[in-house]
Amino acid sequence: MGNEEESTIRTWSNDSYRYPKSSAGRRYLISAIVGVVIIYLLFFVQLPYFIFMPGTAEEIKPMVTIPKGSDVEKGALMLTTVRVADANVVNYLIGLVHPYEEIQPKTSVFRKGESEQEYSQRQEYVMLTSQASAIQAAYSAAKIPFHINHEGVIVLQTLPGLAGEKVLKPGDVLLKIADKEVKAAQDLKNAIKGQKAGDSIPITFKRKDVVQNATLTLGVLPQQEADKSERVGIGVVPADMQAIKADRDDQQVSIKAGEIGGPSAGLMFSLEIYNQLVPEDITKGYRIAGTGTIEPDGTVGPIGGIQHKIIAADKQKAEYFFAPKDVTYPDGTKVDNYSTAVQRANQIKSKMKIIEIGTMEDALKFLASLPPK
């Protein structure tokens, strides 16, 4: 009897020892799974927002090459950027309370029907166009003879439901349509003129240096607000590619800006190109940052996110910041670049001086007025 009782007690004791261990293991496993799910929801699930914050202020000289350009630059000309991040739960909550971060819905950045890939391609194209305008403005200011080469048509976006969407991708370059060479977007329109929906049309295009051929069926394009007539096409948003060529090879500008996109560095590129084309050093030893679009005639236009660029420039110890002048458009819309820049500079107690710029000539006149360091 005693032995049986002892045996019973031992068996119960062993079971009671194993059961909590197994239960604890399950609890640990459940906790780990819950933890992984929470981390995934907090950090990896993207929200339909972008977070805008201060980016970088980068010296432009290493990005610009001219065979016979001047190497003398005692100071620095710097472009400024805005950092854009996809929003997750964590950085969204931080952005709500951070004084120098800004949250915007992605729909405010993308065009109607535009994908993120198409947006990136558009930003790349806009940057290339801005560089071409910057080169042209600098050549004109430095009185360098040049000419314009038309180098084809790039696909910025494909329209849903049309033939182009199935074959073409953003970044493809159209070379021929209906066996006619395509040099400008107007050539594309001319080749389709007189055709009707359902007609087939051969195209030749280039994707990453690989030439390809396809036959597309023309479809009815979405109606434009100003034009309710029926239009047919292959279903792409095209854009002209142009190159600005100096008449002399040793004055030809090449720009390598890496992954920087958008048009807002136009003014600063123009100033750097000009500085390499003329014998004097327009920086005079100062660190000069800035922003602003540039037109071929030197007109400087407003940009977005200047409040973030002020912080980026201040961190790099810029002494002057060129800000586009405040503008009011005919429809009443106001873009206050200069005022916003001054306000943010005061907020962060920056010693940097903000200079209002309306044209490239304004910037050159200001630089000419500075005493050499």
Side-chain angles (χ1 to χ4, degrees):
M1 184 74 178
N3 290 338
E4 290 177 357
E5 184 178 354
E6 182 181 359
S7 176
T8 301
I9 292 172
R10 286 177 180 173
T11 302
W12 178 85
S13 176
N14 288 340
D15 287 344
S16 67
Y17 175 75
R18 287 195 299 269
Y19 179 77
K21 185 175 181 181
S22 176
S23 177
R26 284 197 293 271
R27 287 200 299 271
Y28 292 145
L29 179 61
I30 292 171
S31 297
I33 292 173
V34 171
V36 169
V37 170
I38 291 173
I39 290 172
Y40 177 79
L41 292 175
L42 289 176
F43 292 96
F44 296 100
V45 173
Q46 290 190 5
L47 303 178
Y49 299 94
F50 283 130
I51 312 292
F52 293 81
M53 61 195 80
T56 60
E58 302 183 31
E59 294 187 15
I60 307 176
K61 185 173 175 57
M63 305 178 192
V64 175
T65 303
I66 305 175
K68 203 177 179 180
S70 172
D71 290 329
V72 177
E73 192 164 290
K74 294 180 179 179
L77 293 164
M78 296 180 285
L79 61 78
T80 49
T81 68
V82 176
R83 183 184 167 205
V84 183
D86 288 304
N88 56 39
V89 174
V90 172
N91 62 15
Y92 179 85
L93 294 175
I94 293 172
L96 288 176
V97 298
H98 198 292
Y100 303 134
E101 292 187 4
E102 178 185 3
I103 300 171
Q104 288 189 21
K106 291 185 176 180
T107 52
S108 69
V109 177
F110 297 152
R111 290 177 175 174
K112 184 178 180 180
E114 187 177 49
S115 67
E116 289 200 33
Q117 180 189 3
E118 289 168 338
Y119 169 75
S120 297
Q121 180 60 54
R122 176 163 60 88
Q123 289 299 98
E124 182 180 337
Y125 169 76
V126 169
M127 181 60 162
L128 293 174
T129 303
S130 174
Q131 290 175 4
S133 296
I135 294 171
Q136 189 170 344
Y139 279 162
S140 297
K143 296 180 171 50
I144 303 296
F146 67 92
H147 54 279
I148 301 173
N149 284 353
H150 296 277
E151 298 193 334
V153 173
I154 192 171
V155 175
L156 291 185
Q157 184 181 354
T158 58
L159 304 181
L162 293 165
E165 182 186 32
K166 300 175 182 177
V167 176
L168 298 168
K169 294 182 179 181
D172 289 348
V173 177
L174 300 176
L175 303 176
K176 289 183 179 181
I177 184 163
D179 297 324
K180 296 178 181 178
E181 192 172 12
V182 175
K183 284 289 188 181
Q186 188 60 46
D187 296 333
L188 182 63
K189 295 177 182 178
N190 292 341
I192 294 173
K193 191 175 182 180
Q195 305 275 353
K196 61 183 184 296
D199 289 348
S200 295
I201 194 164
I203 66 167
T204 301
F205 63 97
K206 182 170 64 175
R207 178 180 300 161
K208 294 182 179 179
D209 297 325
V210 178
V211 176
Q212 303 182 44
N213 296 290
T215 299
L216 302 182
T217 301
L218 297 177
V220 178
L221 299 175
Q223 286 187 338
Q224 296 177 324
E225 292 184 6
D227 183 6
K228 300 299 183 181
S229 61
E230 183 175 282
R231 302 174 302 124
V232 300
I234 60 176
V236 299
V237 177
D240 291 341
M241 295 177 65
Q242 294 182 345
I244 310 301
K245 299 292 185 181
D247 290 355
R248 285 173 43 186
D249 290 341
D250 61 1
Q251 294 177 323
Q252 180 60 46
V253 176
S254 61
I255 300 175
K256 292 184 179 179
E259 296 182 356
I260 297 172
S264 64
L267 168 63
M268 300 311 293
F269 271 121
S270 286
L271 294 175
E272 177 60 43
I273 294 165
Y274 178 87
N275 201 33
Q276 293 192 30
L277 289 170
V278 298
E280 67 272 16
D281 175 18
I282 64 173
T283 71
K284 296 181 179 178
Y286 295 93
R287 293 180 63 78
I288 303 146
T291 188
T293 64
I294 193 80
E295 296 295 327
D297 66 359
T299 302
V300 174
I303 53 85
I306 197 167
Q307 65 273 28
H308 304 301
K309 297 181 177 186
I310 289 293
I311 295 175
D314 184 70
K315 286 181 178 178
Q316 291 301 315
K317 296 179 172 50
E319 297 162 276
Y320 296 97
F321 188 97
F322 289 158
K325 65 191 300 184
D326 297 344
V327 295
T328 301
Y329 293 103
D331 63 358
T333 303
K334 293 183 67 178
V335 182
D336 293 337
N337 273 187
Y338 173 71
S339 299
T340 301
V342 171
Q343 182 181 25
R344 180 51 55 89
N346 290 336
Q347 285 175 346
I348 64 174
K349 296 179 172 54
S350 175
K351 295 179 180 179
M352 182 172 59
K353 295 181 180 178
I354 312 301
I355 310 301
E356 188 175 20
I357 300 295
T359 65
M360 182 181 174
E361 185 180 0
D362 291 343
L364 291 175
K365 284 182 177 179
F366 173 80
L367 293 172
S369 71
L370 291 176
K373 264 194 168 185

